[in-house]
């Protein structure tokens, strides 16, 4: 066993995290769900959502047979919705092409929708004791610091170098792979953290070149973020008594595949100082004459803000109360009773608005 893996396993036995609901899990389905949820999402957020997800869809067959709306509804609020769409697509492939059994090798796993090299390695290590290293952001940081890699980790050659280093550090005995893989994750998350790593108590401080060369703060190299672009939009909340109209967003892009309010395109110049008839022109998929009739009594709410990774959206919701439900293209629109709205996958700010609206108007 490499000295590194030995030290890491010893540390894990004493200090590793305990009580994570997916820990010591051997079922590839559950490991996969937890790994996908944990991408770009905090452990504290994932804990409950993971339990909710696997109790609603306890196995790959249940997920494969679920309706897209149910899956998106369960994912709502976690963001990065491509993950949910890929989960659903991947479950279908495993159910239909692999008779419901996950493949064991990383090559087959990483060809499945939404499963990258690191997630494939995690599934194969945790469930099948295969000797493939994971390399998520935590592990990249740990290995990059130990080897004092000062260049941008996103560069292809640097990324490959980190994979090679990670693979060299694996324990000899495949039996140790589940504990070792969890230990790597825990070490990056709790000791070799992005800020204020606990170097003084680190078991690798003698071998860590970044620590020895006083370069810990510089690794990983920080890449200047591009300024967040501001965009504006108007959303229509069209109500008939307790029914509200939703529009299915295109499958790709922001909030892809979620139900949301019909909205104008995201424009960086749009300024809605006063409500004008032209505001509705963009909603040509809807019966404009009906909407216009409702305009005099419409309410335009104050702008709300939602921050994405590379964009800030300022949106205003226009509440239009129409007299009767009107016909819509059922592939893209649907009327939903307010009491049923929580079952849909809604973007967080739309969901927040609905909750506020229901609490004021109940
Ligand atoms: S010494 Fe510090 S930077 Fe190096 S591996 Fe340990 S915690 Fe990370």
């Amino acid at each position: 066993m490499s000295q590194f893996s030995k030290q890491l396993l010893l540390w894990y036995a004493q200090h590793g995290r305990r009580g994570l609901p997916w820990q010591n899990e051997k079922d590839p389905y559950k490991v996969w769900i937890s790994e996908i949820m944990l991408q770009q999402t905090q452990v504290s957020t994932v804990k409950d959502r993971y339990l909710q997800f696997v109790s609603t869809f306890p196995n790959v067959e249940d997920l494969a047979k679920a309706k897209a709306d149910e899956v998106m509804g369960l994912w709502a609020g976690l963001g990065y919705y491509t993950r949910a769409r890929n989960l659903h697509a991947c479950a279908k492939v495993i159910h239909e092409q692999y008779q419901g059994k996950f493949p064991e090798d990383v090559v087959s796993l990483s060809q499945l929708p939404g499963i990258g090299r690191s997630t494939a390695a995690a599934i194969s290590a945790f469930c099948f004791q295969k000797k493939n290293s994971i390399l998520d952001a935590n592990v990249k940081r740990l290995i990059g610091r130990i080897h004092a890699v000062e260049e941008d980790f996103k560069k292809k050659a640097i990324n490959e170098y980190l994979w090679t280093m990670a693979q060299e550090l694996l324990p000899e005995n495949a039996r140790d792979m589940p504990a070792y893989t969890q230990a790597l994750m825990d070490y990056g998350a709790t000791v070799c953290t992005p800020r204020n790593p606990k170097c003084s108590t680190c078991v690798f401080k003698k071998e860590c070149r970044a620590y020895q060369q006083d370069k810990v703060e510089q690794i990983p190299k920080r890449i200047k973020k591009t300024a967040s672009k501001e965009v504006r939009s108007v959303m229509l909340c069209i109500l008939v008594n307790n029914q509200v109209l939703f529009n299915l967003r295109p499958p790709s892009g922001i909030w892809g595949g979620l139900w949301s309010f019909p909205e104008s395109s995201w424009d960086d110049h749009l300024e809605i100082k006063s409500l004008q008839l032209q505001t509705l022109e963009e909603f040509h998929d809807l019966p404009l004459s009906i909407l216009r009739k409702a305009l005099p009594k419409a309410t335009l709410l104050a702008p709300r803000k939602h921050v994405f990774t590379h964009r800030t959206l300022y949106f205003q919701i226009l509440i239009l109360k129409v007299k009767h439900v009107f016909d819509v293209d059922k592939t893209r629109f649907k009327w939903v009773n307010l009491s049923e709205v929580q079952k849909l996958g809604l973007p967080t700010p739309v969901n927040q608005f609905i909750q506020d609206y229901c609490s004021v108007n109940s």
Side-chain angles (χ1 to χ4, degrees):
M1 185 184 291
S2 77
Q3 195 57 26
F4 177 87
S5 59
K6 206 185 278 178
Q7 282 173 293
L8 187 63
L9 284 166
L10 277 174
W11 171 86
Y12 179 66
Q14 285 185 6
H15 306 287
R17 290 180 291 187
R18 302 283 181 262
L20 300 177
W22 49 85
Q23 250 173 347
N24 303 320
E25 184 59 65
K26 299 278 176 253
D27 176 353
Y29 171 74
K30 290 181 181 163
V31 169
W32 167 59
I33 300 292
S34 68
E35 287 298 314
I36 301 293
M37 272 196 182
L38 285 164
Q39 292 167 3
Q40 285 121 349
T41 312
Q42 306 265 345
V43 167
S44 52
T45 308
V46 170
K47 273 184 178 173
D48 288 347
R49 301 298 296 268
Y50 163 81
L51 291 171
Q52 193 189 9
F53 198 95
V54 296
S55 79
T56 309
F57 303 122
N59 54 54
V60 78
E61 187 180 349
D62 289 330
L63 180 56
K65 289 182 175 170
K67 290 193 180 128
D69 279 359
E70 292 178 277
V71 180
M72 299 311 279
L74 215 49
W75 200 269
L78 286 170
Y80 300 96
Y81 294 96
T82 310
R83 294 182 296 170
R85 283 193 300 279
N86 279 334
L87 271 185
H88 199 200
C90 184
K92 287 179 183 171
V93 173
I94 292 170
H95 177 57
E96 287 159 19
Q97 295 177 23
Y98 290 88
Q99 293 74 48
K101 280 185 77 179
F102 276 73
E104 298 189 6
D105 64 289
V106 279
V107 176
S108 307
L109 281 165
S110 51
Q111 282 165 1
L112 293 166
I115 297 189
R117 192 166 159 186
S118 188
T119 304
I123 297 169
S124 76
F126 282 130
C127 309
F128 309 115
Q129 302 188 350
K130 301 279 183 195
K131 286 181 62 174
N132 294 293
S133 182
I134 57 164
L135 193 67
D136 62 11
N138 283 340
V139 182
K140 277 186 190 170
R141 186 173 59 249
L142 171 64
I143 292 175
R145 283 173 173 168
I146 285 177
H147 291 280
V149 178
E150 294 179 62
E151 286 192 67
D152 181 1
F153 290 179
K154 287 204 173 82
K155 282 189 184 166
K156 204 168 171 236
I158 300 299
N159 195 40
E160 273 313 311
Y161 173 76
L162 293 171
W163 274 111
T164 307
M165 292 301 105
Q167 198 63 23
E168 282 184 5
L169 295 172
L170 294 180
E172 268 170 33
N173 197 329
R175 213 180 37 221
D176 291 321
M177 280 308 292
Y180 174 82
T181 304
Q182 187 62 54
L184 264 184
M185 292 175 174
D186 289 9
Y187 209 83
T190 62
V191 181
C192 195
T193 47
R195 290 183 210 294
N196 306 318
K198 301 179 180 69
C199 299
S200 58
T201 55
C202 173
V203 295
F204 305 117
K205 68 180 175 195
K206 281 198 193 123
E207 299 87 11
C208 177
R209 289 168 64 191
Y211 180 69
Q212 295 299 337
Q213 296 168 17
D214 199 17
K215 288 179 179 164
V216 173
E217 291 302 317
Q218 288 105 282
I219 299 172
K221 184 176 183 173
R222 285 191 183 80
I223 310 299
K224 250 191 171 178
K225 282 189 183 155
T226 47
S228 169
K229 188 180 172 191
E230 290 186 359
V231 287
R232 288 166 177 74
S233 174
V234 179
M235 297 185 185
L236 301 186
C237 171
I238 303 170
L239 283 158
V240 182
N241 299 322
N242 279 335
Q243 300 215 71
V244 61
L245 186 68
F246 285 101
N247 180 203
L248 186 62
R249 295 182 63 85
S252 57
I254 288 175
W255 297 333
L258 296 194
W259 289 95
S260 187
F261 290 145
E263 63 182 48
S264 66
S265 54
W266 294 14
D267 187 335
D268 44 354
H269 301 300
L270 188 69
E271 240 180 289
I272 312 144
K273 287 191 178 135
S274 62
L275 184 58
Q276 295 175 349
L277 287 183
Q278 294 93 295
T279 310
L280 292 179
E281 292 299 324
E282 276 205 52
F283 300 92
H284 43 76
D285 292 352
L286 298 171
L288 292 182
S289 57
I290 296 178
L291 301 186
R292 285 200 182 105
K293 270 191 201 151
L295 260 183
K297 290 191 176 169
T299 310
L300 184 66
L301 302 182
R304 293 174 175 223
K305 178 179 167 185
H306 187 74
V307 180
F308 299 94
T309 320
H310 303 296
R311 246 185 275 205
T312 302
L313 169 68
Y314 292 92
F315 64 99
Q316 282 186 275
I317 294 175
L318 176 64
I319 303 177
L320 283 168
K321 292 186 177 170
V322 298
K323 290 207 169 103
H324 306 285
V325 166
F326 48 79
D327 283 342
V328 281
D329 170 358
K330 290 197 172 58
T331 60
R332 294 170 48 230
F333 293 93
K334 71 169 154 186
W335 292 99
V336 182
N337 198 293
L338 280 170
S339 61
E340 300 279 307
V341 165
Q342 292 308 319
K343 291 182 191 160
L344 293 180
L346 296 182
T348 303
V350 175
N351 192 33
Q352 189 59 54
F353 164 77
I354 293 279
Q355 284 184 23
D356 295 347
Y357 183 87
C358 289
S359 68
V360 171
N361 292 281
S362 60

